[in-house]
Amino acid sequence: MSTRSFPESFLWGTATAAYQIEGAVQEDGRGPSIWDTFSHTPGKTFAGQTGDIACDHYHRWPEDIELLRQLGAPAYRFSIAWPRIFPEGRGEVNERGLDFYDRLVDALLEAGIVPFVTLYHWDLPQALQDQGGWAERATVEAFVTYAETVVRRLGDRVRYWITHNEPWVVAYLGHYLGEHAPGIRDLATAVRVSHHLLVSHGLATRAIRALSPHAQVGIALNLSPVVPASDSDSDRAAAQAYDGILNRWFLDPLFGRGYPRDTRQLLARFFEPPESDCDTIAEPLDFLGVNYYTPAFVTAAPEGSPQGIGLRLLSPEELRARGYELTDMGWAIVPDGLEQLLVRLQREYRPPAIVITENGAAFPDEPVDGRVQDDQRIAYLAAHVAAVHRALEAGVPVGGYFVWSLLDNFEWAHGYSKRFGIVYVDYTTLARVPKASFDWYRTVIANRALPDG
Ligand code: IFM
């Protein structure tokens, strides 16, 4: 009997997102999204790759549900493509788009799998971007209408809703660093966008509850412990500033404290969010979704650095020089960071429940004789699940853990060059090959425990 067992109610799962797996971008009335535009713009993604076909999940979903059934995980997290539901972002509903998710939800339930539905995983309808996108308050209203439309259709069967995935990434990679769609590079826009995302979260949460009183609503934040690169005052101040931008800017208003004062001051010359919106943002959460991959290692840097506010993140070379093992993304592998993060969240915010909505790693997997022996991923996942277990023992209310990702998929600007899946996808044939980590995870789920050792 393992000493690291998990409660029977613990929700094990895997996660995916619409644009990363679906393909079929022109099918059944789907409109274009900002990721179609961005990925088709030369120079934006690895080798010009796009999500046009991706894993072809739009056609192969029965096969993917069969994989989920074999895995035995009680839950599955996926996202809905807004442009399938509203091809123009608002206005006329595309019933065929809703039908797709309706069938998917029914099939999941038939397989005994609990759906966790993310409403916004980055594929804004291009028509809304043409009107200013998330920088415009009108997009908030369009999002709420979209959320209501989806909940009206699926809310009788879907209980768990995630409004947004990683609003920091949407704001900063999409609107400040320009590495994600829509490719804007303007800090003021990024801060404004972060505020609109949070307001839309609060309003959508209210709307979901009004339509579906049994709903459990959360948001998935990308959170990391922030580690100063040295003990110097300047590095420690930079780490404090970055913690404000990455973590507290989102957590504080969600948990009813308003925006953190230090970060507000730091960003005031770019955008000052109206305090009057803070009550809306603070609509109580049923659970906090945590996406964790790696800590952020921060050093002070002159004004005009990539982060624009006197700091920068350490590069993969610098991390390697410090002895960290890295994933294929160049991210340091630090499982203790997850435990620290969870303990901090519990101590400082007391969320009613936490769900690890994403955790996983990219490694350069290749099949050998039809088998993908991804031992590095197994080690990564085992160490992070162990960290979750330690947090549970310390009293953190973690209710679930979702591996990112079920399938190798379109890793945004990296295209198909980074493989996060526990199932290998051959992009020539679109064949799925469960990796060794799939078998490992299946055993953990079946035993509700990590093997000893
Ligand atoms: O693939 C992404 C996902 O869409 C959001 N969270 C991080 C993952 C890995 O980069």
Side-chain angles (χ1 to χ4, degrees), residues 259-272:
Y259 286 103
R261 190 172 318 145
D262 60 331
T263 318
R264 209 178 224 293
Q265 277 166 4
L266 184 70
L267 299 175
R269 66 193 151 110
F270 302 106
F271 176 71
E272 286 195 76

Side-chain angles (χ1 to χ4, degrees), residues 156-426:
D156 57 335
R157 286 153 291 154
V158 171
R159 181 156 184 244
Y160 295 95
W161 298 94
I162 294 168
T163 53
H164 283 284
N165 186 68
E166 301 183 353
W168 180 90
V169 171
V170 174
Y172 283 85
L173 295 196
H175 300 82
Y176 176 49
L177 297 176
E179 293 169 8
H180 278 193
I184 292 169
R185 290 170 201 254
D186 179 56
L187 188 47
T189 306
V191 184
R192 180 187 294 274
V193 163
S194 71
H195 179 63
H196 287 160
L197 292 168
L198 284 167
V199 173
S200 76
H201 155 80
L203 290 172
T205 302
R206 255 181 230 162
I208 295 168
R209 289 205 176 110
L211 289 166
S212 180
H214 70 296
Q216 296 283 299
V217 191
I219 185 168
L221 301 181
N222 55 303
L223 300 172
S224 293
V226 181
V227 185
S230 78
D231 247 0
S232 71
D233 287 351
S234 56
D235 279 352
R236 281 190 302 164
Q240 173 71 8
Y242 196 67
D243 182 57
I245 292 170
L246 179 71
N247 297 321
R248 289 179 287 118
W249 184 260
F250 296 90
L251 289 165
D252 282 14
L254 285 166
F255 286 93
R257 299 183 190 171
Y259 286 103
R261 190 172 318 145
D262 60 331
T263 318
R264 209 178 224 293
Q265 277 166 4
L266 184 70
L267 299 175
R269 66 193 151 110
F270 302 106
F271 176 71
E272 286 195 76
E275 289 283 0
S276 53
D277 284 330
C278 283
D279 280 353
T280 305
I281 298 172
E283 188 67 27
L285 294 169
D286 293 303
F287 64 92
L288 174 67
V290 173
N291 294 1
Y292 173 80
Y293 291 89
T294 187
F297 296 87
V298 173
T299 186
E303 208 64 21
S305 67
Q307 268 70 32
I309 31 188
L311 55 89
R312 70 171 178 85
L313 299 179
L314 294 191
S315 67
E317 294 67 40
E318 288 170 308
L319 293 171
R320 200 173 286 120
R322 286 165 185 243
Y324 287 105
E325 254 181 78
L326 307 184
T327 69
D328 203 24
M329 297 294 280
W331 298 345
I333 302 176
V334 187
D336 286 354
L338 178 54
E339 181 188 358
Q340 281 164 24
L341 173 65
L342 293 171
V343 168
R344 175 193 182 184
L345 291 170
Q346 169 68 357
R347 193 180 56 233
E348 294 184 18
Y349 297 97
R350 304 246 156 224
I354 292 178
V355 176
I356 311 299
T357 34
E358 286 183 25
N359 177 240
F363 291 108
D365 309 311
E366 274 312 320
V368 177
D369 297 331
R371 173 108 191 122
V372 182
Q373 193 60 44
D374 56 339
D375 293 327
Q376 288 171 294
R377 181 170 295 97
I378 293 175
Y380 179 101
L381 295 176
H384 285 78
V385 172
V388 172
H389 191 263
R390 290 196 298 277
L392 266 172
E393 282 189 322
V396 184
V398 188
Y401 172 89
F402 289 71
V403 169
W404 184 270
S405 180
L406 173 68
L407 303 170
D408 290 338
N409 60 48
F410 178 76
E411 178 55 24
W412 308 111
H414 297 281
Y416 300 97
S417 68
K418 307 292 176 199
R419 294 181 176 274
F420 274 91
I422 57 170
V423 174
Y424 180 89
V425 176
D426 177 331

Side-chain angles (χ1 to χ4, degrees), residues 40-115:
H40 279 269
T41 306
K44 299 295 186 192
T45 63
F46 172 82
Q49 291 171 346
T50 73
D52 287 3
I53 298 172
C55 305
D56 195 31
H57 170 78
Y58 194 79
H59 300 115
R60 292 168 198 248
W61 60 268
E63 190 185 338
D64 294 337
I65 290 187
E66 178 52 25
L67 283 167
L68 289 170
R69 223 186 40 72
Q70 285 168 16
L71 181 64
Y76 172 59
R77 175 180 174 223
F78 64 95
S79 82
I80 295 198
W82 185 346
R84 289 200 193 279
I85 312 304
F86 286 100
E88 295 290 320
R90 55 164 73 87
E92 209 179 314
V93 178
N94 176 36
E95 294 296 335
R96 287 178 297 167
L98 283 169
D99 292 344
F100 172 69
Y101 298 106
D102 202 279
R103 289 192 292 271
L104 187 67
V105 164
D106 278 348
L108 285 168
L109 293 175
E110 252 164 58
I113 299 166
V114 176

